[in-house]
Amino acid sequence: MEILRYYPELGGHVDNIGDNLVELGVFEILSHLRPDRVAAGTRVLIGTPWFWDRCESSAKYQWLEDELRRHPHARHVAMGIGTCLPLDGEVQLLLKPATVRACQRLWRQFDAIAVRDPLAFEFLQEIGVECDLLPCPSVFVTPLAPVAPRPGSRL
């Protein structure tokens, strides 16, 4: 299995704490699967966002297209991907013809996609790309940093 993360060139700094947590969560999820469920050669795309206005013309999308082109026979899975729009935003912001065509071509190459927000789910459903709406994998990092209610809390 190989984890795929996009690292933008940011003055030498390429780390993203959010993507780090997503990656840890993905490893936590995968550690509970039977070994035969994670095939050798599976490539898991993590991190977010992946959907925003004119996302198809970004360096991030070019990188992903290149990755998919270089490994056409690999099993590709995307986990924890989402939008860069307000969660109460309108899916119409993403439904420009060029964006729809590019996203259909790109995301239909994945064997499984788990999105982390309802807008990403609605967008992919609208353009005919199968996906599941699941919590962001980062929520599964809790064994590393347990969460407990404060004394006296009503939770």
Short mmCIF file of all heavy atoms in Angstrom, two decimals, residues 104-144:
data_model
loop_
_atom_site.label_atom_id
_atom_site.label_comp_id
_atom_site.label_asym_id
_atom_site.label_seq_id
_atom_site.Cartn_x
_atom_site.Cartn_y
_atom_site.Cartn_z
N GLN A 104 -15.17 14.28 -13.54
CA GLN A 104 -15.67 12.97 -13.96
C GLN A 104 -14.52 12.11 -14.48
O GLN A 104 -14.37 10.94 -14.08
CB GLN A 104 -16.72 13.12 -15.06
CG GLN A 104 -18.04 13.62 -14.56
CD GLN A 104 -19.00 13.92 -15.69
OE1 GLN A 104 -18.60 14.33 -16.79
NE2 GLN A 104 -20.29 13.75 -15.43
N ARG A 105 -13.70 12.67 -15.35
CA ARG A 105 -12.57 11.93 -15.93
C ARG A 105 -11.60 11.47 -14.83
O ARG A 105 -11.16 10.32 -14.82
CB ARG A 105 -11.87 12.81 -16.95
CG ARG A 105 -10.73 12.12 -17.69
CD ARG A 105 -10.02 13.04 -18.67
NE ARG A 105 -9.27 14.06 -17.98
CZ ARG A 105 -9.59 15.37 -17.96
NH1 ARG A 105 -10.63 15.82 -18.62
NH2 ARG A 105 -8.84 16.24 -17.30
N LEU A 106 -11.30 12.35 -13.90
CA LEU A 106 -10.31 12.06 -12.87
C LEU A 106 -10.83 11.09 -11.81
O LEU A 106 -10.24 10.05 -11.55
CB LEU A 106 -9.87 13.37 -12.21
CG LEU A 106 -8.75 13.28 -11.20
CD1 LEU A 106 -7.43 13.08 -11.93
CD2 LEU A 106 -8.70 14.53 -10.36
N TRP A 107 -11.97 11.42 -11.21
CA TRP A 107 -12.44 10.67 -10.04
C TRP A 107 -13.06 9.32 -10.41
O TRP A 107 -13.14 8.43 -9.57
CB TRP A 107 -13.38 11.54 -9.20
CG TRP A 107 -12.62 12.70 -8.65
CD1 TRP A 107 -12.66 14.00 -9.10
CD2 TRP A 107 -11.66 12.68 -7.60
NE1 TRP A 107 -11.78 14.78 -8.38
CE2 TRP A 107 -11.15 14.00 -7.45
CE3 TRP A 107 -11.17 11.69 -6.77
CZ2 TRP A 107 -10.20 14.33 -6.50
CZ3 TRP A 107 -10.22 12.02 -5.82
CH2 TRP A 107 -9.74 13.33 -5.69
N ARG A 108 -13.47 9.14 -11.65
CA ARG A 108 -13.98 7.82 -12.06
C ARG A 108 -12.87 6.78 -12.18
O ARG A 108 -13.15 5.60 -12.33
CB ARG A 108 -14.75 7.94 -13.38
CG ARG A 108 -16.12 8.54 -13.20
CD ARG A 108 -16.88 8.63 -14.49
NE ARG A 108 -18.22 9.14 -14.25
CZ ARG A 108 -18.97 9.67 -15.19
NH1 ARG A 108 -18.53 9.74 -16.45
NH2 ARG A 108 -20.18 10.13 -14.90
N GLN A 109 -11.62 7.21 -12.09
CA GLN A 109 -10.49 6.28 -12.13
C GLN A 109 -10.26 5.62 -10.76
O GLN A 109 -9.45 4.71 -10.65
CB GLN A 109 -9.23 7.00 -12.58
CG GLN A 109 -9.32 7.50 -14.01
CD GLN A 109 -8.06 8.24 -14.40
OE1 GLN A 109 -6.98 7.65 -14.44
NE2 GLN A 109 -8.19 9.52 -14.69
N PHE A 110 -10.97 6.09 -9.73
CA PHE A 110 -10.79 5.55 -8.38
C PHE A 110 -11.72 4.36 -8.16
O PHE A 110 -12.86 4.36 -8.60
CB PHE A 110 -11.04 6.64 -7.33
CG PHE A 110 -9.87 7.55 -7.16
CD1 PHE A 110 -9.63 8.57 -8.08
CD2 PHE A 110 -8.99 7.39 -6.11
CE1 PHE A 110 -8.53 9.40 -7.95
CE2 PHE A 110 -7.89 8.22 -5.98
CZ PHE A 110 -7.66 9.23 -6.90
N ASP A 111 -11.20 3.36 -7.46
CA ASP A 111 -11.99 2.17 -7.14
C ASP A 111 -12.94 2.42 -5.98
O ASP A 111 -13.98 1.77 -5.88
CB ASP A 111 -11.06 1.00 -6.82
CG ASP A 111 -10.21 0.64 -8.02
OD1 ASP A 111 -10.75 0.03 -8.96
OD2 ASP A 111 -9.01 1.00 -8.03
N ALA A 112 -12.58 3.33 -5.09
CA ALA A 112 -13.42 3.68 -3.95
C ALA A 112 -13.06 5.09 -3.51
O ALA A 112 -11.89 5.48 -3.53
CB ALA A 112 -13.22 2.70 -2.80
N ILE A 113 -14.09 5.85 -3.12
CA ILE A 113 -13.90 7.23 -2.67
C ILE A 113 -14.73 7.43 -1.41
O ILE A 113 -15.93 7.14 -1.40
CB ILE A 113 -14.34 8.25 -3.73
CG1 ILE A 113 -13.54 8.08 -5.02
CG2 ILE A 113 -14.23 9.68 -3.20
CD1 ILE A 113 -14.05 8.93 -6.18
N ALA A 114 -14.09 7.94 -0.36
CA ALA A 114 -14.79 8.34 0.86
C ALA A 114 -14.59 9.84 1.03
O ALA A 114 -13.46 10.30 1.17
CB ALA A 114 -14.25 7.59 2.07
N VAL A 115 -15.69 10.59 0.97
CA VAL A 115 -15.63 12.03 1.16
C VAL A 115 -15.99 12.36 2.60
O VAL A 115 -16.69 11.59 3.26
CB VAL A 115 -16.55 12.79 0.17
CG1 VAL A 115 -16.12 12.55 -1.26
CG2 VAL A 115 -18.01 12.40 0.36
N ARG A 116 -15.53 13.52 3.06
CA ARG A 116 -15.73 13.85 4.46
C ARG A 116 -16.76 14.94 4.69
O ARG A 116 -17.03 15.28 5.83
CB ARG A 116 -14.41 14.23 5.10
CG ARG A 116 -13.87 15.56 4.62
CD ARG A 116 -12.58 15.87 5.30
NE ARG A 116 -12.26 17.27 5.16
CZ ARG A 116 -11.29 17.87 5.80
NH1 ARG A 116 -10.54 17.19 6.64
NH2 ARG A 116 -11.07 19.13 5.62
N ASP A 117 -17.32 15.52 3.63
CA ASP A 117 -18.33 16.55 3.86
C ASP A 117 -19.49 16.39 2.89
O ASP A 117 -19.31 15.87 1.79
CB ASP A 117 -17.73 17.96 3.84
CG ASP A 117 -17.21 18.39 2.49
OD1 ASP A 117 -18.03 18.62 1.58
OD2 ASP A 117 -15.97 18.51 2.35
N PRO A 118 -20.69 16.81 3.31
CA PRO A 118 -21.89 16.61 2.48
C PRO A 118 -21.82 17.31 1.12
O PRO A 118 -22.39 16.81 0.15
CB PRO A 118 -23.02 17.20 3.33
CG PRO A 118 -22.51 17.19 4.73
CD PRO A 118 -21.01 17.37 4.63
N LEU A 119 -21.14 18.43 1.02
CA LEU A 119 -21.05 19.13 -0.26
C LEU A 119 -20.21 18.34 -1.27
O LEU A 119 -20.58 18.24 -2.44
CB LEU A 119 -20.48 20.54 -0.06
CG LEU A 119 -20.67 21.52 -1.20
CD1 LEU A 119 -22.14 21.65 -1.59
CD2 LEU A 119 -20.10 22.87 -0.83
N ALA A 120 -19.14 17.74 -0.82
CA ALA A 120 -18.33 16.88 -1.71
C ALA A 120 -19.17 15.68 -2.15
O ALA A 120 -19.13 15.29 -3.32
CB ALA A 120 -17.07 16.42 -0.99
N PHE A 121 -19.92 15.11 -1.23
CA PHE A 121 -20.80 13.98 -1.56
C PHE A 121 -21.83 14.39 -2.60
O PHE A 121 -22.01 13.71 -3.62
CB PHE A 121 -21.48 13.47 -0.29
CG PHE A 121 -22.40 12.31 -0.52
CD1 PHE A 121 -21.89 11.03 -0.71
CD2 PHE A 121 -23.77 12.49 -0.55
CE1 PHE A 121 -22.74 9.95 -0.92
CE2 PHE A 121 -24.63 11.42 -0.76
CZ PHE A 121 -24.11 10.15 -0.94
N GLU A 122 -22.49 15.52 -2.37
CA GLU A 122 -23.51 15.99 -3.31
C GLU A 122 -22.91 16.27 -4.68
O GLU A 122 -23.49 15.91 -5.71
CB GLU A 122 -24.18 17.26 -2.77
CG GLU A 122 -25.29 17.77 -3.62
CD GLU A 122 -25.95 19.02 -3.06
OE1 GLU A 122 -25.61 19.47 -1.95
OE2 GLU A 122 -26.82 19.58 -3.77
N PHE A 123 -21.73 16.88 -4.71
CA PHE A 123 -21.07 17.19 -5.98
C PHE A 123 -20.77 15.91 -6.76
O PHE A 123 -21.12 15.79 -7.94
CB PHE A 123 -19.79 17.99 -5.74
CG PHE A 123 -18.95 18.17 -6.97
CD1 PHE A 123 -19.44 18.86 -8.07
CD2 PHE A 123 -17.67 17.64 -7.04
CE1 PHE A 123 -18.67 19.02 -9.23
CE2 PHE A 123 -16.90 17.80 -8.18
CZ PHE A 123 -17.40 18.48 -9.28
N LEU A 124 -20.12 14.95 -6.13
CA LEU A 124 -19.76 13.72 -6.85
C LEU A 124 -21.01 12.95 -7.28
O LEU A 124 -21.05 12.40 -8.38
CB LEU A 124 -18.83 12.85 -6.01
CG LEU A 124 -17.41 13.40 -5.86
CD1 LEU A 124 -16.57 12.49 -4.97
CD2 LEU A 124 -16.73 13.59 -7.21
N GLN A 125 -22.03 12.92 -6.44
CA GLN A 125 -23.28 12.26 -6.83
C GLN A 125 -23.89 12.96 -8.04
O GLN A 125 -24.36 12.31 -8.97
CB GLN A 125 -24.27 12.26 -5.66
CG GLN A 125 -23.85 11.38 -4.50
CD GLN A 125 -23.84 9.92 -4.85
OE1 GLN A 125 -24.85 9.35 -5.21
NE2 GLN A 125 -22.67 9.30 -4.78
N GLU A 126 -23.88 14.27 -8.02
CA GLU A 126 -24.46 15.08 -9.12
C GLU A 126 -23.77 14.80 -10.45
O GLU A 126 -24.41 14.80 -11.50
CB GLU A 126 -24.37 16.56 -8.76
CG GLU A 126 -24.98 17.50 -9.76
CD GLU A 126 -26.51 17.51 -9.75
OE1 GLU A 126 -27.10 17.19 -8.71
OE2 GLU A 126 -27.09 17.83 -10.80
N ILE A 127 -22.46 14.56 -10.41
CA ILE A 127 -21.73 14.34 -11.67
C ILE A 127 -21.56 12.85 -11.99
O ILE A 127 -20.85 12.49 -12.93
CB ILE A 127 -20.37 15.06 -11.69
CG1 ILE A 127 -19.38 14.48 -10.67
CG2 ILE A 127 -20.57 16.57 -11.46
CD1 ILE A 127 -17.96 15.01 -10.82
N GLY A 128 -22.20 11.99 -11.21
CA GLY A 128 -22.21 10.57 -11.53
C GLY A 128 -20.98 9.79 -11.09
O GLY A 128 -20.64 8.77 -11.70
N VAL A 129 -20.32 10.25 -10.03
CA VAL A 129 -19.15 9.54 -9.49
C VAL A 129 -19.56 8.92 -8.16
O VAL A 129 -20.00 9.63 -7.26
CB VAL A 129 -17.95 10.49 -9.31
CG1 VAL A 129 -16.78 9.77 -8.63
CG2 VAL A 129 -17.52 11.07 -10.65
N GLU A 130 -19.40 7.61 -8.04
CA GLU A 130 -19.78 6.92 -6.81
C GLU A 130 -18.83 7.28 -5.68
O GLU A 130 -17.61 7.34 -5.86
CB GLU A 130 -19.75 5.41 -7.01
CG GLU A 130 -20.93 4.88 -7.76
CD GLU A 130 -20.97 3.36 -7.72
OE1 GLU A 130 -20.74 2.78 -6.64
OE2 GLU A 130 -21.21 2.78 -8.79
N CYS A 131 -19.41 7.48 -4.50
CA CYS A 131 -18.61 7.77 -3.31
C CYS A 131 -19.44 7.47 -2.08
O CYS A 131 -20.66 7.28 -2.17
CB CYS A 131 -18.13 9.22 -3.30
SG CYS A 131 -19.46 10.43 -3.16
N ASP A 132 -18.78 7.43 -0.94
CA ASP A 132 -19.44 7.27 0.35
C ASP A 132 -19.13 8.49 1.20
O ASP A 132 -18.02 9.02 1.16
CB ASP A 132 -18.92 6.02 1.07
CG ASP A 132 -19.35 4.75 0.36
OD1 ASP A 132 -20.56 4.50 0.29
OD2 ASP A 132 -18.46 4.02 -0.13
N LEU A 133 -20.11 8.93 1.96
CA LEU A 133 -19.93 10.02 2.91
C LEU A 133 -19.62 9.41 4.27
O LEU A 133 -20.46 8.72 4.86
CB LEU A 133 -21.20 10.88 2.98
CG LEU A 133 -21.21 12.03 3.98
CD1 LEU A 133 -20.08 13.02 3.69
CD2 LEU A 133 -22.56 12.73 3.97
N LEU A 134 -18.39 9.61 4.73
CA LEU A 134 -17.92 9.05 5.99
C LEU A 134 -17.22 10.13 6.79
O LEU A 134 -16.77 11.13 6.23
CB LEU A 134 -16.94 7.90 5.73
CG LEU A 134 -17.49 6.71 4.93
CD1 LEU A 134 -16.36 5.77 4.55
CD2 LEU A 134 -18.54 5.99 5.74
N PRO A 135 -17.07 9.94 8.09
CA PRO A 135 -16.32 10.93 8.87
C PRO A 135 -14.89 11.05 8.35
O PRO A 135 -14.33 10.10 7.80
CB PRO A 135 -16.31 10.35 10.29
CG PRO A 135 -17.42 9.35 10.31
CD PRO A 135 -17.56 8.84 8.90
N CYS A 136 -14.32 12.21 8.54
CA CYS A 136 -12.92 12.41 8.18
C CYS A 136 -12.08 11.39 8.95
O CYS A 136 -12.29 11.17 10.14
CB CYS A 136 -12.49 13.82 8.55
SG CYS A 136 -10.75 14.14 8.17
N PRO A 137 -11.12 10.74 8.27
CA PRO A 137 -10.28 9.75 8.97
C PRO A 137 -9.57 10.30 10.20
O PRO A 137 -9.21 9.54 11.09
CB PRO A 137 -9.28 9.32 7.90
CG PRO A 137 -9.99 9.55 6.61
CD PRO A 137 -10.82 10.79 6.84
N SER A 138 -9.38 11.61 10.28
CA SER A 138 -8.68 12.18 11.43
C SER A 138 -9.40 11.90 12.74
O SER A 138 -8.77 11.88 13.79
CB SER A 138 -8.48 13.69 11.24
OG SER A 138 -9.73 14.35 11.21
N VAL A 139 -10.72 11.64 12.71
CA VAL A 139 -11.43 11.36 13.96
C VAL A 139 -11.00 10.03 14.56
O VAL A 139 -11.23 9.78 15.74
CB VAL A 139 -12.97 11.39 13.80
CG1 VAL A 139 -13.44 12.71 13.26
CG2 VAL A 139 -13.48 10.25 12.95
N PHE A 140 -10.35 9.18 13.78
CA PHE A 140 -9.93 7.88 14.27
C PHE A 140 -8.54 7.91 14.88
O PHE A 140 -7.99 6.86 15.23
CB PHE A 140 -10.02 6.84 13.16
CG PHE A 140 -11.43 6.65 12.69
CD1 PHE A 140 -11.84 7.21 11.49
CD2 PHE A 140 -12.35 5.97 13.46
CE1 PHE A 140 -13.15 7.07 11.06
CE2 PHE A 140 -13.66 5.83 13.05
CZ PHE A 140 -14.06 6.37 11.85
N VAL A 141 -7.98 9.10 15.06
CA VAL A 141 -6.66 9.25 15.66
C VAL A 141 -6.78 9.24 17.18
O VAL A 141 -5.80 9.19 17.88
CB VAL A 141 -5.96 10.53 15.15
CG1 VAL A 141 -4.61 10.76 15.82
CG2 VAL A 141 -5.79 10.46 13.65
N THR A 142 -7.97 9.24 17.73
CA THR A 142 -8.16 9.35 19.18
C THR A 142 -7.36 8.37 20.02
O THR A 142 -7.00 8.71 21.14
CB THR A 142 -9.65 9.26 19.56
OG1 THR A 142 -10.18 8.06 19.03
CG2 THR A 142 -10.40 10.46 19.07
N PRO A 143 -7.04 7.14 19.54
CA PRO A 143 -6.19 6.30 20.39
C PRO A 143 -4.82 6.95 20.67
O PRO A 143 -4.19 6.65 21.67
CB PRO A 143 -6.02 5.02 19.58
CG PRO A 143 -7.24 4.96 18.73
CD PRO A 143 -7.54 6.41 18.39
N LEU A 144 -4.39 7.83 19.80
CA LEU A 144 -3.11 8.52 20.02
C LEU A 144 -3.27 9.71 20.95
O LEU A 144 -2.34 10.12 21.62
CB LEU A 144 -2.53 8.99 18.68
CG LEU A 144 -2.25 7.88 17.67
CD1 LEU A 144 -1.79 8.48 16.35
CD2 LEU A 144 -1.22 6.91 18.21
#
